[in-house]
Amino acid sequence: MNESLLRELVPAVIGILVRRGADFAAAEDAVQEALIRALETWPDDPPRDAKGWLVAAAWHKFVDSVRAETSRRGRELAIEVEPPAGPVPAGDDTLWLYFLCAHPSLSPGSAVALTLRAVGGLTTRQIATAYLVPEATMAQRISRAKRRITGLPLDRPGDLATVLRVLYLVFNEGYGGDIDLAAEAIRLTRQLAATTDDPEVSGLLALMLLHHARRASRTGPGGRLVPLAKQDRSRWDTALIAEGVMILQTALARDRLGEYQTQAAIAALHADAPSTAETDWVQIVEWYDELLVFTDGPVVRLNRAVAVGEADGPLAGIAALSELDPDLPRHTAARAYLLERAGDLEQAADLYAEASRAATTVPERDHLTREAARVRQSLRS
């Protein structure tokens, strides 16, 4: 590579950047970075047009630096004008945006996906995972929803059931890893419960509070996943549990049972038990049977199979699990757990390892890997 040629080109490239609108100092910095890049790449891949390459590379560096500086100034300005910490005013319009995105012209599934992306702040991948579909499929669904409402007046609020579904999924994503999302979902559901006379809204709020009460015990040192059976129940938030149970009981008394009240009833039975062994698993299975009336999905049936394994023994749980698609997320892990309880440690260890390779999060993968190692250690001892 001819370094003297590079030095000769520097003034001309700086001049071009200045004529394009860069100030001299910024142009000079951008050209210097482009030169460094040239020294790294040209020996192996020399360009046919050295000057053109330098101009393009330097201009990209300049644009990147301008964008970075603009973002930095924006963050500083946001901090300067940010209101003091404290409760979010009840009059914010976030919940109203949820209703507007749940546009009547959209199918419930499309409205939920669009709202999760546009207002809920979830990524397309997170939404796809929640719906058990490929990311590309969900991206197409969201794009179609955007095109469908383009140009339509957003003056008609959507369906309450759709908004509840969005809040439920936002909470689930937050409960899985981002506490801010979970707290925001609870805040909005409290607002909705205060203004809506619907027992399912109360049921969803109760469900969120009962799950959120266990938040502190769900992970250990280093972010280790702690399964329900091994959680330190003394760390559960008893005030949230009491509030959730009270809200649930008031909703159930209205005798208009729905999906979220049913899920909250299951969560309440877990919260009420001093230990896994003392959990009323028979009643939990009965509540899962009720839940299937409202939402007969594979995830519900998988959770029911595990509950059957606790109530009627692991072989009964394995039989219930065998009726489901083995490609279902958590199917392999659930089968490993039930086989371990049934005494088949060798197959359980293999399935724990297999499940770890298919895990979608690092904490879940590490947990299942440790479970496989623990069971294998039991085989050797």
Side-chain angles (χ1 to χ4, degrees):
M1 178 178 62
N2 191 335
E3 295 185 21
S4 62
L5 172 62
L6 284 176
R7 287 193 294 270
E8 292 173 3
L9 290 173
V10 167
V13 176
I14 291 176
I16 291 173
L17 265 61
V18 170
R19 287 194 296 275
R20 288 186 177 184
D23 62 76
F24 185 85
E28 191 174 39
D29 290 342
V31 172
Q32 290 299 322
E33 291 192 40
L35 287 174
I36 294 172
R37 182 62 178 160
L39 291 170
E40 293 173 348
T41 62
W42 283 15
D44 297 324
D45 186 20
R48 285 176 291 183
D49 180 2
K51 182 178 178 180
W53 189 100
L54 276 178
V55 169
W59 182 252
H60 285 309
K61 293 291 184 182
F62 169 71
V63 171
D64 288 344
S65 67
V66 170
R67 287 173 177 167
E69 178 65 15
T70 301
S71 297
R72 182 187 65 79
R73 290 177 180 174
R75 289 192 298 270
E76 290 177 351
L77 180 61
I79 291 173
E80 289 176 5
V81 301
E82 184 176 317
V88 177
D92 75 283
D93 59 0
T94 306
L95 189 58
W96 182 240
L97 289 175
Y98 273 68
F99 275 95
L100 291 181
C101 281
H103 199 274
S105 68
L106 297 174
S107 68
S110 295
V112 170
L114 178 62
T115 313
L116 288 171
R117 186 72 185 92
V119 187
L122 273 64
T123 66
T124 303
R125 177 172 295 180
Q126 289 171 321
I127 302 169
T129 300
Y131 274 89
L132 305 179
V133 299
E135 184 176 355
T137 300
M138 183 54 65
Q140 291 174 356
R141 185 179 302 176
I142 294 171
S143 295
R144 284 196 298 268
K146 289 179 180 178
R147 288 196 299 270
R148 186 170 182 82
I149 65 172
T150 297
L152 295 178
L154 295 178
D155 55 358
R156 291 185 297 160
D159 181 61
L160 174 63
T162 300
V163 174
L164 288 180
R165 186 65 181 170
V166 173
L167 290 169
Y168 172 77
L169 291 172
V170 169
F171 177 81
N172 280 351
E173 188 60 39
Y175 189 63
D178 187 338
I179 193 169
D180 292 332
L181 277 179
E184 173 69 354
I186 291 173
R187 182 183 73 83
L188 293 173
T189 307
R190 283 190 187 279
Q191 283 187 19
L192 193 56
T195 58
T196 307
D197 183 28
D198 190 308
E200 270 294 81
V201 177
S202 298
L204 178 58
L205 178 58
L207 174 64
M208 290 178 177
L209 295 176
L210 290 165
H211 278 302
H212 207 58
R214 304 204 311 259
R215 177 74 193 197
S217 65
R218 292 186 70 247
T219 54
R224 280 192 171 197
L225 185 65
V226 181
L228 177 62
K230 296 180 180 179
Q231 288 177 16
D232 180 358
R233 300 187 179 217
S234 67
R235 300 184 65 195
W236 290 3
D237 189 328
T238 54
L240 280 184
I241 291 173
E243 183 185 4
V245 169
M246 180 190 68
I247 292 171
L248 173 63
Q249 289 174 340
T250 302
L252 291 175
R254 301 185 61 181
D255 198 24
R256 288 166 53 194
L257 190 62
E259 172 187 355
Y260 301 115
Q261 294 171 74
T262 306
Q263 289 193 57
I266 295 170
L269 286 169
H270 283 299
D272 185 57
S275 67
T276 300
E278 298 170 271
T279 303
D280 190 345
W281 288 106
V282 172
Q283 193 174 352
I284 286 178
V285 172
E286 292 173 355
W287 276 112
Y288 270 119
D289 290 337
E290 291 281 358
L291 185 57
L292 286 171
V293 174
F294 300 107
T295 173
D296 188 359
V299 175
V300 175
R301 288 194 172 274
L302 185 143
N303 290 336
R304 180 187 179 279
V306 175
V308 167
E310 299 287 358
D312 300 330
L315 295 182
I318 292 170
L321 201 61
S322 66
E323 299 175 4
L324 304 178
D325 183 353
D327 292 330
L328 184 68
R330 291 185 54 241
H331 186 285
T332 304
R335 185 171 177 81
Y337 170 74
L338 292 170
L339 283 169
E340 180 187 356
R341 289 195 60 233
D344 189 347
L345 301 186
E346 186 171 351
Q347 189 175 356
D350 291 341
L351 287 178
Y352 275 131
E354 180 182 336
S356 72
R357 292 190 290 271
T360 56
T361 67
V362 173
E364 182 184 9
R365 181 201 65 197
D366 292 347
H367 167 70
L368 292 168
T369 300
R370 287 192 298 270
E371 291 295 277
R374 176 183 58 78
V375 174
R376 287 192 176 116
Q377 181 62 36
S378 299
L379 282 168
R380 289 193 290 268
S381 60

